[in-house]
Amino acid sequence: MSSSSNNPQTLKWQAMSRDHHLAPFTDYQQLSDKGPRIIVRADGVYLWDSEGEKILDGMAGLWCVAIGYGRDELADAASKQMKELPFYNTFFNTAHPPVLELAKTIAELTPEGMNHVFFTGSGSEGNDTMLRMVRHYWAIKGQPDKKVIISRINGYHGSTFAGSSLGGMQGMHDQGGVVPGIVHIPQPYWFGEGGDKTPEAFGIWAAEQLEAKILEVGEANVAAFIAEPIQGAGGVIIPPDSYWPKIREILAKYDILFVADEVICGFGRTGEWFGSDYYGNQPDLMTIAKGLTSGYIPMGGLIVSDKVFDVLKTGGDFNHGFTYSGHPVAAAVALENIRILRDEKIIERVREETAPYLQKRLRELADHPLVGEVRGVGMLGAIELVQNKQSRERYVGKGAGMICRGHCFANGLIMRAVGDTMIIAPPLVISKTEIDELIDKARLCLDLTLQDLQK
Ligand code: PXG
């Protein structure tokens, strides 16, 4: 591993990290001591580090590199746009062709009635935009008290103040506080929190928490409910089948907006264009980022339904926006990325061929003594590490997930750990042979982890 490198170039970069670079979500003392692994190039589903080691990227960068690494077409689209018009803003009654083409293209892909896009630089900014927009929406409609957003514990909606407040990550709330008017309900995480209930019964219970919260806060005060179709950063939490139908039933009873955070699920990860399509949900707003550009360049946005837009249009100025809203180079890259997803039928291939194969192979790991559950949808998967397969009891205080992640890292596989849940989200273009390699490496690392835990 690079932490024990003798390579002078690696050491030079690690010194730069120690002396100057502040990485996200990082213990700076620990990183200084260990030094980061330096990733220098990538192609397809593979990364190479500065030691020359090849690594299968089971996380698509950070859930984003949908079309895989090394697609020259995206670089060419960026280069062409930079030469033609590298920047112009979309404030003050101006626009440029890429942003308009992109908004129209996205509207072609979204569920019925979702035809308007506000662009941002990231998913977090998309959710900030959402917070202001939904409160503004209700104010225009003469209900300014409808301000509260209901969100879920262990959801992830970004790292800006609105994003982290909407999210349900205690560690983030503890550092700097939260935006007022955001409340959280339990997540539909059966394996971790379902207790003696069946998954179906637990799914209903978790959905009913939404209704209980609406009644507690008062419908007259609730602006919206936000949720990821499948929680990503929280540990690839796939709700029981009963959850979304029950949520839809509750949403139909109350006059509140529904926001789908599609930052991870959007652009094909579930085998449909959006996670909302996968579940048959009908959101009023959808946050996007990541797969929109396959991560080649930063871009996010908020897709807005006709219903919301028709009200916004009557409300005067919407006082919100970023310098890089609809950045022409990002828009050109997103357009090319979507062209590739469409022309190469990548999402169809995921749905019909590679995702069923990944899910089948992934489930073979369920027989491993360390594995309590394997679950997944599309190109998303989770493996729960346990001490007791029947009772779902964990290895307490052993850091099984981190041990496993370390073995993966050392054996040429990127697989993330969320506590003791191992998660994968490979590029959508991963082939069956590469899936075989991923599963073989995962099994090896489970073996090595179990050996360590039994020592
Ligand atoms: N919503 C969801 C559902 C996300 O997964 C964001 C919003 C925020 O997007 P930006 O572009 O502002 O990062 C995300 C981001 C992890 C991890 O550890 C996940 C994300 C970001 C960083 C780390 O799994 N998701």
Side-chain angles (χ1 to χ4, degrees):
M1 293 245 283
S2 52
S3 50
S4 55
S5 171
N6 298 316
N7 177 331
Q9 183 57 260
T10 300
L11 293 172
K12 207 169 96 187
W13 280 323
Q14 289 181 337
M16 290 175 189
S17 163
R18 186 192 58 225
D19 295 342
H20 302 294
H21 182 227
L22 297 179
F25 286 91
T26 293
D27 176 329
Y28 296 120
Q29 187 58 54
Q30 243 180 38
L31 186 70
S32 295
D33 295 346
K34 268 182 68 182
R37 188 172 199 172
I38 312 293
I39 306 299
V40 292
R41 70 186 178 88
D43 192 37
V45 300
Y46 292 101
L47 307 163
W48 281 265
D49 72 8
S50 57
E51 306 289 283
E53 276 184 55
K54 184 179 172 186
I55 310 150
L56 174 56
D57 185 3
M59 282 305 298
L62 205 46
W63 320 83
C64 51
V65 188
I67 63 166
Y69 298 97
R71 292 298 301 248
D72 286 347
E73 299 94 322
L74 270 61
D76 294 344
S79 162
K80 183 162 172 276
Q81 187 58 47
M82 276 196 191
K83 288 173 189 165
E84 199 155 300
L85 180 72
F87 179 76
Y88 199 72
N89 72 67
T90 52
F91 288 52
F92 326 123
N93 294 333
T94 59
H96 45 71
V99 75
L100 302 174
E101 298 276 354
L102 181 59
K104 171 174 173 291
T105 301
I106 290 172
E108 289 166 10
L109 305 173
T110 47
E112 181 81 21
M114 306 219 53
N115 291 309
H116 311 272
V117 193
F118 191 105
F119 289 104
T120 68
S122 68
S124 301
E125 289 175 8
N127 282 327
D128 270 60
T129 302
M130 181 282 291
L131 181 65
R132 174 164 289 141
M133 191 183 282
V134 302
R135 287 178 175 175
H136 181 48
Y137 166 90
W138 288 113
I140 297 170
K141 280 170 71 83
Q143 293 167 274
D145 291 338
K146 279 175 86 72
K147 280 200 172 77
V148 174
I149 317 281
I150 301 176
S151 178
R152 300 183 302 179
I153 294 163
N154 200 38
Y156 190 81
H157 299 297
S159 199
T160 54
F161 256 99
S164 60
S165 305
L166 291 164
M169 303 290 181
Q170 194 59 46
M172 297 177 84
H173 296 173
D174 287 345
Q175 295 180 350
V178 294
V179 172
I182 296 173
V183 296
H184 298 82
I185 58 173
Q187 57 179 336
Y189 179 27
W190 175 79
F191 186 86
E193 298 170 4
D196 293 338
K197 289 192 177 70
T198 63
E200 292 315 286
F202 181 71
I204 298 286
W205 176 85
E208 283 170 350
Q209 301 313 300
L210 173 62
E211 184 159 34
K213 190 56 88 176
I214 294 170
L215 296 174
E216 179 195 321
V217 174
E219 183 181 2
N221 301 313
V222 179
F225 170 57
I226 182 172
E228 303 155 81
I230 293 168
Q231 287 156 260
V236 181
I237 289 157
I238 298 178
D241 290 342
S242 56
Y243 184 74
W244 282 118
K246 186 71 190 172
I247 291 277
R248 285 196 295 271
E249 206 183 295
I250 293 164
L251 287 170
K253 276 168 69 179
Y254 300 96
D255 193 16
I256 66 173
L257 295 171
F258 175 36
V259 186
D261 187 333
E262 294 272 0
V263 168
I264 283 178
C265 291
F267 298 93
R269 189 140 294 280
T270 63
E272 302 290 340
W273 276 95
F274 295 95
S276 298
D277 299 324
Y278 180 83
Y279 284 112
N281 292 344
Q282 283 165 336
D284 299 300
L285 305 111
M286 300 201 301
T287 322
I288 52 171
K290 294 193 190 277
L292 168 63
T293 58
S294 277
Y296 278 56
I297 200 162
M299 185 177 234
L302 181 67
I303 304 175
V304 178
S305 62
D306 299 345
K307 164 180 147 181
V308 172
F309 176 70
D310 288 346
V311 171
L312 273 186
K313 219 165 47 173
T314 67
D317 279 358
F318 180 45
N319 296 318
H320 183 83
F322 306 100
T323 304
Y324 301 128
S325 284
H327 194 286
V329 179
V333 171
L335 277 167
E336 187 58 13
N337 176 60
I338 293 171
R339 185 197 65 72
I340 289 174
L341 284 170
R342 279 174 145 176
D343 287 2
E344 299 182 8
K345 303 200 182 316
I346 290 172
I347 297 173
E348 288 87 335
R349 182 163 160 262
V350 164
R351 179 172 61 233
E352 281 149 31
E353 202 182 320
T354 46
Y357 188 70
L358 172 73
Q359 296 302 333
K360 172 176 140 300
R361 295 263 15 231
L362 202 55
R363 276 164 186 73
E364 291 168 17
L365 299 172
D367 69 4
H368 195 280
L370 186 54
V371 174
E373 182 185 76
V374 179
R375 58 176 181 267
V377 160
M379 284 291 166
L380 287 166
I383 305 166
E384 297 282 4
L385 309 185
V386 291
Q387 184 161 21
N388 183 319
K389 286 168 88 82
Q390 272 68 49
S391 67
R392 318 203 290 268
E393 192 191 326
R394 303 282 192 182
Y395 278 97
V396 180
K398 296 253 180 132
M402 291 309 278
I403 295 173
C404 188
R405 191 186 82 166
H407 284 304
C408 292
F409 227 50
N411 285 281
L413 173 65
I414 303 271
M415 180 155 71
R416 281 234 1 242
V418 176
D420 287 349
T421 312
M422 304 309 297
I423 58 176
I424 54 159
L428 303 186
V429 294
I430 190 169
S431 70
K432 287 185 176 177
T433 320
E434 290 159 346
I435 290 171
D436 287 338
E437 181 188 339
L438 189 157
I439 299 295
D440 291 348
K441 288 199 156 133
R443 186 177 283 279
L444 167 73
C445 296
L446 290 170
D447 288 343
L448 295 169
T449 304
L450 184 60
Q451 278 171 28
D452 284 357
L453 289 167
Q454 287 174 340
K455 258 178 212 161

